[in-house]
Amino acid sequence: MSAEETAPSSGGSSSPASNTSSPSSSSSSSSASASATTGSTSTTPTATETTAEYSLPYTVFVYDKAWGLPSLEPASTELLTYLKVCKQTCSIVPCDNPRISPSGQLPVLHVRNIFVQHNRCTGFLKENVKDIDFGLSAREKGDVEAYSSMVHSTLEHARLFNWWVDEDNFDALTAKEYARKYRFPLNQMLPSRMRSAVVEQLEAANVKASTVYADARQCYEALSARLGDEQYFFPEHGYSSLDVCVFSHLILHLHAPMPNHRLREDLLEFPQLTLFCGRMLRDLFGIDEPAFDPVLERINQEDEDRASTWTTMAYSAAAVAGMFFVFLRLASNHGQ
């Protein structure tokens, strides 16, 4: 696990810090997919962060990059994006070990001797570093809360269903993408355990296969209508936590290279949203349009290489076993 330092790019207008806002809710993806994971830990690096208002040393532990995107999961992407909008420099640790968190989930914000849990990270930054919603009216803040809640629930449920419940997607991409982060035997066990956790989560939320994509499409329609032809959800304000939230989820709907990319197909019918995602990805992370098909080609090549390796090992084991059998026969004949 390696640490990297990031300096955010310039985005929309930001507002003065405030300590009066309530924490924003977190994506439920980490809760489901991280609950069954284990991995190695590493020493926490030191980083010094500076803004006009605060000087705060901290480190963020997030799911690693995937498919040319900032992170594999929306909760980690949301934290990284918030830091970028704040123009905040920090030490980033790509991590596949959610057990460093008291809740067993990523992302995690490490501040001095405190680990801020995944669902409190953005709220902590709003309260202690910079509240990018400062200056919004009470009505606008109500919109932020309502639309963010819709994204964190309905759209996140759709992503989890598409990635983990859809058989083709799970077998072809999801299981392999998560398995490749671990060594044997964890890479054989964890994807199935994580899938079971997701299924339980979706059942508890009463998510139905017959309506999950239709519900997601209605959310796209609502977000597209709210955004209109503007660059931000609140044009006179610039980036808000709603922009951060929507981007962090939709960018994975749009660019995760699933064989059954129903979410991508539906989202492409809303060009305002796809342009919104592309602009934020470029302006904040310096990433142009991520490659889509080559990711599947890489995974297929890895599968072929892995199969070739196992075949070679099997032939080698068979050869050794044959030689051992011949040796035993010779030893037995010699003894007689």
Side-chain angles (χ1 to χ4, degrees):
M1 174 173 17
S2 62
E4 63 182 65
E5 187 172 315
T6 178
S9 308
S10 298
S13 60
S14 55
S15 307
S18 169
N19 293 328
T20 60
S21 66
S22 60
S24 61
S25 44
S26 162
S27 166
S28 59
S29 62
S30 298
S31 172
S33 55
S35 61
T37 57
T38 58
S40 59
T41 59
S42 71
T43 304
T44 301
T46 301
T48 302
E49 332 312 323
T50 303
T51 66
E53 297 84 8
Y54 297 90
S55 178
L56 185 67
Y58 65 90
T59 301
V60 292
F61 295 82
V62 294
Y63 275 104
D64 202 357
K65 298 176 181 178
W67 314 317
L69 300 175
S71 179
L72 175 63
E73 295 208 345
S76 293
T77 305
E78 190 166 346
L79 175 58
L80 293 174
T81 306
Y82 195 99
L83 289 166
K84 290 283 188 179
V85 172
C86 290
K87 302 180 182 179
Q88 186 74 27
T89 303
C90 68
S91 187
I92 297 176
V93 182
C95 177
D96 298 310
N97 179 23
R99 298 186 68 186
I100 64 173
S101 168
S103 63
Q105 299 164 11
L106 289 176
V108 175
L109 179 64
H110 185 216
V111 185
R112 299 184 179 92
N113 296 322
I114 301 172
F115 284 98
V116 182
Q117 298 186 39
H118 74 111
N119 61 344
R120 284 280 301 146
C121 290
T122 304
F124 180 91
L125 294 176
K126 291 180 73 172
E127 295 170 358
N128 297 283
V129 178
K130 179 173 289 187
D131 180 3
I132 62 175
D133 291 338
F134 182 87
L136 292 178
S137 67
R139 181 176 180 178
E140 289 172 330
K141 289 182 178 180
D143 284 349
V144 169
E145 184 175 353
Y147 283 99
S148 296
S149 177
M150 178 180 66
V151 170
H152 285 136
S153 56
T154 305
L155 289 188
E156 178 60 357
H157 289 158
R159 183 192 70 86
L160 291 174
F161 183 91
N162 185 253
W163 287 25
W164 294 92
V165 180
D166 184 287
E167 293 284 351
D168 292 339
N169 288 347
F170 178 78
D171 292 337
L173 187 63
T174 307
K176 295 173 183 176
E177 191 64 41
Y178 281 84
R180 65 194 292 268
K181 300 178 179 298
Y182 302 95
R183 296 181 179 179
F184 182 85
L186 290 177
N187 59 357
Q188 301 298 312
M189 300 184 298
L190 289 180
S192 295
R193 293 175 59 186
M194 295 162 73
R195 188 186 197 191
S196 297
V198 169
V199 170
E200 291 179 5
Q201 177 184 338
L202 295 179
E203 288 178 349
N206 198 31
V207 175
K208 300 184 182 301
S210 59
T211 61
V212 63
Y213 291 122
D215 292 342
R217 185 182 180 84
Q218 288 181 357
C219 290
Y220 296 155
E221 291 175 352
L223 290 171
S224 179
R226 181 64 180 80
L227 179 64
D229 295 326
E230 303 292 347
Q231 290 190 344
Y232 311 99
F233 281 96
F234 305 100
E236 296 181 359
H237 177 80
Y239 285 126
S240 68
S241 61
L242 179 58
D243 296 87
V244 171
C245 171
V246 172
F247 164 78
S248 301
H249 287 75
L250 293 191
I251 199 66
L252 288 165
H253 291 211
L254 189 60
H255 291 297
M258 298 293 165
N260 175 16
H261 39 78
R262 171 66 182 275
L263 293 175
R264 172 183 168 89
E265 291 174 350
D266 287 349
L267 185 54
L268 285 173
E269 296 183 22
F270 301 91
Q272 301 97 322
L273 296 179
T274 60
L275 290 172
F276 168 84
C277 290
R279 179 181 55 80
M280 287 190 67
L281 188 64
R282 180 181 62 254
D283 292 350
L284 296 179
F285 293 94
I287 300 174
D288 292 325
E289 192 77 7
F292 190 69
D293 293 335
V295 178
L296 288 177
E297 295 175 5
R298 170 184 62 77
I299 291 177
N300 291 334
Q301 184 61 49
E302 289 177 353
D303 287 345
E304 293 176 4
D305 295 342
R306 191 178 298 110
S308 176
T309 300
W310 279 107
T311 300
T312 302
M313 292 175 62
Y315 280 124
S316 299
V320 171
M323 294 175 62
F324 183 69
F325 178 75
V326 171
F327 174 79
L328 289 179
R329 290 296 299 272
L330 292 174
S332 175
N333 292 337
H334 181 73
Q336 294 176 354

